[in-house]
Amino acid sequence: CVNGQVLEGEHILVATGSSPATLPIKGIEKALTSDDVLASPVDGHKIVIIGGGVIGMEFASYFSAIGKEVVVIEAMDKILPSLSKEISVQLGAYMKKNGVTIMASSKVTEIGHGFVKVDKGGVESVVDCDKVIVAIGRKANICGLHLEKAGVEHDRFIKVDSSFKTSA
Protein backbone atom coordinates (compact mmCIF):
# COMPACT_ATOMS: atom_id res chain seq x y z
CA CYS A 1 0.00 0.00 0.00
CA VAL A 2 1.60 3.26 -1.13
CA ASN A 3 -0.23 6.49 -0.28
CA GLY A 4 -3.43 4.49 0.11
CA GLN A 5 -2.96 2.57 -3.15
CA VAL A 6 -2.44 -1.15 -3.40
CA LEU A 7 0.27 -2.01 -5.90
CA GLU A 8 0.22 -5.36 -7.64
CA GLY A 9 2.49 -7.07 -10.11
CA GLU A 10 3.92 -10.39 -11.16
CA HIS A 11 7.37 -9.32 -9.91
CA ILE A 12 8.17 -6.57 -7.45
CA LEU A 13 11.69 -5.26 -7.01
CA VAL A 14 12.45 -4.05 -3.49
CA ALA A 15 15.27 -1.48 -3.76
CA THR A 16 15.14 0.68 -0.66
CA GLY A 17 18.85 1.37 -0.24
CA SER A 18 20.67 1.38 3.07
CA SER A 19 21.82 3.70 5.83
CA PRO A 20 24.88 3.65 8.08
CA ALA A 21 24.38 1.43 11.13
CA THR A 22 24.85 3.06 14.51
CA LEU A 23 25.53 2.04 18.09
CA PRO A 24 24.04 3.12 21.44
CA ILE A 25 27.11 5.07 22.55
CA LYS A 26 26.99 8.24 24.63
CA GLY A 27 27.91 11.12 22.27
CA ILE A 28 27.38 9.13 19.04
CA GLU A 29 25.90 12.26 17.42
CA LYS A 30 29.41 13.78 17.43
CA ALA A 31 30.71 11.04 15.12
CA LEU A 32 30.76 11.00 11.34
CA THR A 33 29.13 8.18 9.38
CA SER A 34 30.49 6.58 6.23
CA ASP A 35 28.00 8.74 4.27
CA ASP A 36 29.44 11.88 5.91
CA VAL A 37 33.01 10.86 5.03
CA LEU A 38 32.10 10.29 1.40
CA ALA A 39 30.16 13.56 1.16
CA SER A 40 32.84 16.01 2.27
CA PRO A 41 36.51 16.23 3.31
CA VAL A 42 37.46 15.13 6.83
CA ASP A 43 39.63 17.67 8.59
CA GLY A 44 41.90 17.00 11.53
CA HIS A 45 44.99 14.86 11.88
CA LYS A 46 44.07 12.09 14.33
CA ILE A 47 41.13 9.94 13.25
CA VAL A 48 39.43 7.25 15.35
CA ILE A 49 37.46 4.70 13.36
CA ILE A 50 34.90 2.62 15.22
CA GLY A 51 34.65 -0.67 13.36
CA GLY A 52 37.36 -2.86 11.91
CA GLY A 53 35.24 -4.44 9.20
CA VAL A 54 35.59 -3.82 5.49
CA ILE A 55 34.32 -0.22 5.54
CA GLY A 56 36.38 0.75 8.58
CA MET A 57 39.56 -0.77 7.18
CA GLU A 58 39.06 0.92 3.81
CA PHE A 59 38.84 4.26 5.59
CA ALA A 60 41.83 3.41 7.79
CA SER A 61 43.92 2.59 4.73
CA TYR A 62 42.92 5.80 2.95
CA PHE A 63 43.44 8.15 5.89
CA SER A 64 46.75 6.52 6.76
CA ALA A 65 47.93 6.87 3.14
CA ILE A 66 47.23 10.62 3.17
CA GLY A 67 49.23 11.09 6.36
CA LYS A 68 46.63 11.07 9.08
CA GLU A 69 47.14 9.26 12.38
CA VAL A 70 44.56 6.47 12.56
CA VAL A 71 43.24 4.36 15.43
CA VAL A 72 40.78 1.54 14.63
CA ILE A 73 38.62 0.26 17.48
CA GLU A 74 37.03 -3.15 16.87
CA ALA A 75 34.73 -4.96 19.31
CA MET A 76 35.61 -8.42 17.99
CA ASP A 77 38.96 -10.07 18.65
CA LYS A 78 40.29 -9.27 15.16
CA ILE A 79 39.79 -6.85 12.30
CA LEU A 80 37.72 -8.08 9.36
CA PRO A 81 35.84 -10.48 11.66
CA SER A 82 33.69 -11.83 8.81
CA LEU A 83 36.77 -12.91 6.80
CA SER A 84 39.39 -15.57 7.40
CA LYS A 85 41.95 -15.30 10.17
CA GLU A 86 44.77 -15.32 7.61
CA ILE A 87 43.40 -12.26 5.82
CA SER A 88 42.85 -10.48 9.14
CA VAL A 89 46.40 -11.20 10.32
CA GLN A 90 47.98 -10.14 7.00
CA LEU A 91 46.02 -6.89 6.77
CA GLY A 92 46.59 -6.17 10.45
CA ALA A 93 50.36 -6.51 10.02
CA TYR A 94 50.29 -4.31 6.92
CA MET A 95 48.22 -1.62 8.63
CA LYS A 96 50.41 -1.60 11.75
CA LYS A 97 53.51 -1.31 9.53
CA ASN A 98 51.88 1.77 7.99
CA GLY A 99 51.23 3.39 11.36
CA VAL A 100 47.62 2.38 12.01
CA THR A 101 46.86 1.48 15.64
CA ILE A 102 44.37 -1.37 15.98
CA MET A 103 42.52 -1.89 19.26
CA ALA A 104 40.72 -5.25 18.98
CA SER A 105 38.39 -6.69 21.64
CA SER A 106 37.59 -3.09 22.56
CA LYS A 107 34.35 -1.14 22.81
CA VAL A 108 33.81 2.61 22.68
CA THR A 109 31.73 3.68 25.67
CA GLU A 110 31.66 7.44 25.06
CA ILE A 111 32.47 9.94 22.34
CA GLY A 112 33.37 13.43 23.50
CA HIS A 113 34.83 16.56 21.95
CA GLY A 114 38.34 15.44 21.05
CA PHE A 115 38.30 12.00 22.70
CA VAL A 116 36.74 8.57 22.88
CA LYS A 117 36.55 6.36 25.95
CA VAL A 118 37.37 2.74 25.28
CA ASP A 119 36.71 -0.35 27.39
CA LYS A 120 38.96 -3.37 26.84
CA GLY A 121 38.18 -6.24 29.18
CA GLY A 122 36.98 -3.92 31.94
CA VAL A 123 39.91 -1.54 31.68
CA GLU A 124 38.96 1.93 30.45
CA SER A 125 41.29 4.18 28.48
CA VAL A 126 40.92 7.48 26.65
CA VAL A 127 42.04 8.02 23.06
CA ASP A 128 42.51 11.61 21.91
CA CYS A 129 41.33 12.44 18.40
CA ASP A 130 40.20 15.17 16.05
CA LYS A 131 37.41 13.17 14.36
CA VAL A 132 35.50 9.96 15.04
CA ILE A 133 34.05 7.86 12.24
CA VAL A 134 31.48 5.13 12.91
CA ALA A 135 32.00 2.46 10.25
CA ILE A 136 30.25 -0.62 11.62
CA GLY A 137 28.28 -1.48 8.50
CA ARG A 138 24.95 -0.58 7.01
CA LYS A 139 21.29 -1.40 7.60
CA ALA A 140 18.55 -1.79 5.03
CA ASN A 141 15.93 0.97 4.77
CA ILE A 142 13.02 -1.40 5.38
CA CYS A 143 11.24 0.32 8.25
CA GLY A 144 7.58 0.91 7.46
CA LEU A 145 7.40 -1.55 4.55
CA HIS A 146 5.25 -4.00 6.56
CA LEU A 147 7.29 -6.90 5.24
CA GLU A 148 5.75 -9.31 7.74
CA LYS A 149 2.28 -8.66 6.27
CA ALA A 150 3.65 -9.48 2.82
CA GLY A 151 5.30 -12.68 4.10
CA VAL A 152 8.82 -11.40 3.44
CA GLU A 153 11.42 -12.77 5.87
CA HIS A 154 14.07 -10.33 7.08
CA ASP A 155 16.48 -9.53 9.84
CA ARG A 156 18.85 -6.62 9.20
CA PHE A 157 18.28 -7.17 5.46
CA ILE A 158 15.60 -8.84 3.35
CA LYS A 159 16.37 -12.56 3.08
CA VAL A 160 16.67 -13.93 -0.44
CA ASP A 161 17.49 -17.27 -2.03
CA SER A 162 20.19 -18.02 -4.62
CA SER A 163 17.94 -16.49 -7.32
CA PHE A 164 17.45 -13.35 -5.19
CA LYS A 165 13.81 -14.18 -4.56
CA THR A 166 12.25 -13.35 -1.18
CA SER A 167 10.17 -15.75 0.89
CA ALA A 168 7.06 -14.16 -0.64
Side-chain angles (χ1 to χ4, degrees):
C1 184
V2 176
N3 296 327
Q5 286 184 316
V6 174
L7 304 175
E8 295 181 28
E10 185 177 341
H11 301 284
I12 298 172
L13 175 66
V14 181
T16 62
S18 65
S19 303
T22 188
L23 292 168
I25 299 172
K26 181 179 178 183
I28 192 79
E29 69 281 354
K30 296 175 184 82
L32 301 172
T33 67
S34 55
D35 286 356
D36 297 328
V37 172
L38 296 174
S40 59
V42 175
D43 58 351
H45 178 69
K46 188 167 184 182
I47 310 294
V48 167
I49 299 171
I50 302 172
V54 174
I55 296 169
M57 297 315 296
E58 285 176 336
F59 285 144
S61 178
Y62 168 73
F63 287 119
S64 173
I66 64 169
K68 296 189 186 281
E69 187 178 337
V70 179
V71 176
V72 175
I73 302 170
E74 170 57 46
M76 303 300 284
D77 64 348
K78 64 180 182 133
I79 59 169
L80 301 175
S82 64
L83 301 179
S84 74
K85 182 178 180 180
E86 181 180 358
I87 291 171
S88 173
V89 168
Q90 291 294 323
L91 182 64
Y94 174 81
M95 297 301 273
K96 288 176 187 176
K97 181 178 156 189
N98 287 291
V100 175
T101 300
I102 297 172
M103 299 175 70
S105 301
S106 301
K107 294 183 181 179
V108 174
T109 58
E110 181 179 348
I111 300 169
H113 291 289
F115 71 90
V116 294
K117 289 185 180 177
V118 181
D119 180 287
K120 181 173 178 140
V123 177
E124 189 172 86
S125 62
V126 176
V127 177
D128 295 326
C129 60
D130 298 314
K131 294 290 180 184
V132 178
I133 299 168
V134 177
I136 58 163
R138 301 188 67 84
K139 60 182 179 180
N141 294 333
I142 57 176
C143 183
L145 293 181
H146 307 290
L147 296 174
E148 297 81 15
K149 283 184 179 179
V152 176
E153 291 181 36
H154 65 91
D155 47 26
R156 284 183 47 219
F157 297 96
I158 295 173
K159 294 182 180 182
V160 295
D161 64 17
S162 60
S163 299
F164 298 102
K165 293 180 181 176
T166 71
S167 54

